[in-house]
Amino acid sequence: MKFFGIAALVAGLLAPSLVLGAPAPGNEGRNLLTPVDKRQDFQAEGYGGGGGGGCNSPSNRQCWSQGFNINTDYELGTPNTGNTRRYTLDLTETDNWTGPDGVVKEKVMMVNGKIIGPTLQANWGDYLEITVINRLKTNGTSIHWHGMHQRNSNIQDGVNGVTECPIPPNGGSKVYRFRATQYGTSWYHSHFSAQYGNGIVGSIVINGPASANYDVDLGPFPLMDYYYKTADQIALLTQQAGPPPSDNVLFNGFAKHPTTGAGQYATVSLTKGKKHRLRLINTSVENHFQLSLVNHSMTIISADLVPVQPYKVDSLLLGVGQRYDVIIDANQAVGNYWFNVTFGGSGFCGTSQNPSPAAIFRYQGAPNALPTNQGIAPLDHQCLDLNDLKPVLQRSLNTNSIALNTGNTIPIKLDGFVWRVNGTAINVDWNKPVLEYVLTGNTSYPQSENIVQIDGVNQWKYWLIENDPDPRTVSLPHPIHLHGHDFLILGRSPDVDPASQTRYVFDPAVDMPRLKGNNPTRRDVAMLPARGWLLIAFRTDNPGAWLMHCHIAWHVSGGLSNQFLERAQDLKNSISDADKNAFNDNCNAWRGYFPANDPFPKPDSGLRVISGVKAREVKLDW
């Protein structure tokens, strides 16, 4: 077994991490959020409300419609709207494309002609019907609807090699259909995982009630690390070295080049005296962001798709894949204010070549000028997210009943540049997804699928995730994402700077009393501390083949994933004949393409693939 030192893995991670809003000269931008509804294929009655039967208003956001409000258990009841919202996502690729900060990229992939696709918007209880057309030249694809529980619709989860075969290139298509049983903010992306780093991403807004009142819903505001190399080139490079810093950070698709001044700042309009809801999404492949707005606080009302009791912060860490809905009270003097991204954790949360990524929040009536107050660096979050949020819809467990053993302990280990979970680096089979085993009653699952079988109905299952127990390798924080469920965060190892590489092993005598079972934070992405542990729980109330993985694209590419196969027989019984036929048709179309007609081999876990960029000698130039 080969081990590599810390220097190789953190090369390029030690750029300045807490520098604020030093703007480059030039065009200071335009308002991106006021016209955002023009980018929708469907425009509901407005972000955040209006479609709930008339009771949802700025003075009563807790109400939605008759019999449905913020206290409704959305896992048990969903409004019957009778509506289906239809979208078409057309995937294409472009070579030698000039990016938002003026730099030409060798290749990008787009959704409906943009590197950030259209927002999918619906009301709580609507069905979404989404046709995906794959016009990429050599890549298959699948589109995952991040955070959507897919209750009784696991086959629509959009994970190639797990719930479907990839959609073949050059015009292949697939129709996804599922119900919005939750509400809030999320996103969609390719699950050829690093492929989404080339541009195949977009936001999802499901209008519903909220835990606090606000006047204006500004809509989704995705943030994304941005690289001049293709995601595939970087994924190959990370097979022999640590990742590079991002070249820039996109705010809703816009960026300013830190040295040339090309591009423009994203600009968000605020109205003095009004409360504004902003839907923050981290669609990055590697960077976690510390976010702060100069002279303003933010009140969190939702974490991922879980409404929470209002929680005021001056800054927050937005990990890869995470979402926060926040309310910003425009109670300051009319003017321009920097919305800053910083990097903490001694570089272990990612870094950027742009020392001061920022957007502008501009009060109506303020001059069209750059802000003058850079603000102060926020508290270093040490790559750790908030674990004291209180969900509105409560879930509580008796932590004294938890019994941990090898059956529910999940170690994550770095072996060279391969990530192993439970001793196995996942390697899915595009031509034979796990769901095919379920549909045919074949239980001879390959070890490479890294399956954990779960039986029992509506039972709480506990999982202790341990991060890199081997002291000879560097340990990194991981944003752990679970499909098909929110999970309760019962506890994690003590909060320390990840650069300290302090090893914490779960000790029942010490750590059991520290666990929180009374309505703990619940979400679908949580940060696993470097060389520490995370204890989560979810209930077996949603049969499916559900992936759990690190949402850093290079890590899932390197194998950092396992599958929970939950109640396989119930899953099989729940799939309709029509869905089976669509599944088989898509797999037959894919098998007609791969491997015989695909010019590129399968290079890794199967959750990321070469995107038509020819293999070549690569230089580690960061």
Side-chain angles (χ1 to χ4, degrees), residues 375-405:
I376 59 174
L379 175 74
D380 191 333
H381 291 263
Q382 307 292 3
C383 310
L384 297 170
D385 48 6
L386 295 166
N387 67 349
D388 54 354
L389 300 173
K390 297 180 180 179
V392 173
L393 183 61
Q394 298 190 17
R395 299 281 187 262
S396 295
L397 297 175
N398 180 6
T399 56
N400 293 326
S401 65
I402 297 175
L404 299 174
N405 51 56

Side-chain angles (χ1 to χ4, degrees), residues 83-87 120-123 125-130 145 148 156 175-181 204-206:
N83 294 325
T84 297
R85 309 303 182 186
R86 294 181 173 86
Y87 294 87
L120 308 182
Q121 188 183 176
N123 289 329
D126 288 350
Y127 281 89
L128 288 96
E129 187 173 288
I130 306 153
W145 321 100
M148 308 304 289
Q156 308 295 334
V175 178
Y176 296 88
R177 180 179 170 85
F178 56 91
R179 195 176 188 191
T181 60
I204 299 175
V205 172
I206 308 299

Side-chain angles (χ1 to χ4, degrees), residues 145-313:
W145 321 100
H146 184 107
M148 308 304 289
H149 283 176
Q150 299 290 356
R151 292 188 177 274
N152 301 310
S153 57
N154 173 247
I155 201 168
Q156 308 295 334
D157 196 40
V159 184
N160 45 236
V162 179
T163 61
E164 64 181 78
C165 295
I167 305 168
N170 297 306
S173 67
K174 176 181 171 68
V175 178
Y176 296 88
R177 180 179 170 85
F178 56 91
R179 195 176 188 191
T181 60
Q182 306 143 270
Y183 53 87
T185 305
S186 201
W187 61 302
Y188 60 89
H189 60 84
S190 165
H191 227 295
F192 269 63
S193 185
Q195 187 185 76
Y196 80 77
N198 291 324
I200 301 181
V201 298
S203 303
I204 299 175
V205 172
I206 308 299
N207 296 317
S211 63
N213 294 332
Y214 57 89
D215 301 296
V216 180
D217 193 323
L218 295 168
F221 196 64
L223 296 96
M224 186 178 193
D225 51 9
Y226 182 66
Y227 300 84
Y228 300 147
K229 294 181 183 295
T230 68
D232 310 279
Q233 289 170 329
I234 298 172
L236 289 175
L237 291 168
T238 60
Q239 294 176 8
Q240 53 184 307
S246 62
D247 291 297
N248 215 329
V249 174
L250 302 186
F251 295 77
N252 204 20
F254 287 74
K256 192 82 164 173
H257 195 285
T259 56
T260 69
Q264 57 190 31
Y265 291 108
T267 306
V268 178
S269 179
L270 301 179
T271 302
K272 185 172 175 59
K274 299 292 186 180
K275 294 182 178 180
H276 304 74
R277 179 178 183 167
L278 186 66
R279 300 167 182 266
L280 300 167
I281 313 169
N282 188 341
T283 65
S284 295
V285 291
E286 201 263 346
N287 284 180
H288 312 295
F289 301 128
Q290 296 180 162
L291 305 178
S292 59
L293 177 60
V294 173
N295 287 355
H296 292 74
S297 61
M298 296 177 282
T299 299
I300 298 170
I301 61 171
S302 182
D304 298 346
L305 286 167
V306 179
V308 299
Q309 298 292 344
Y311 187 98
K312 184 175 288 188
V313 297

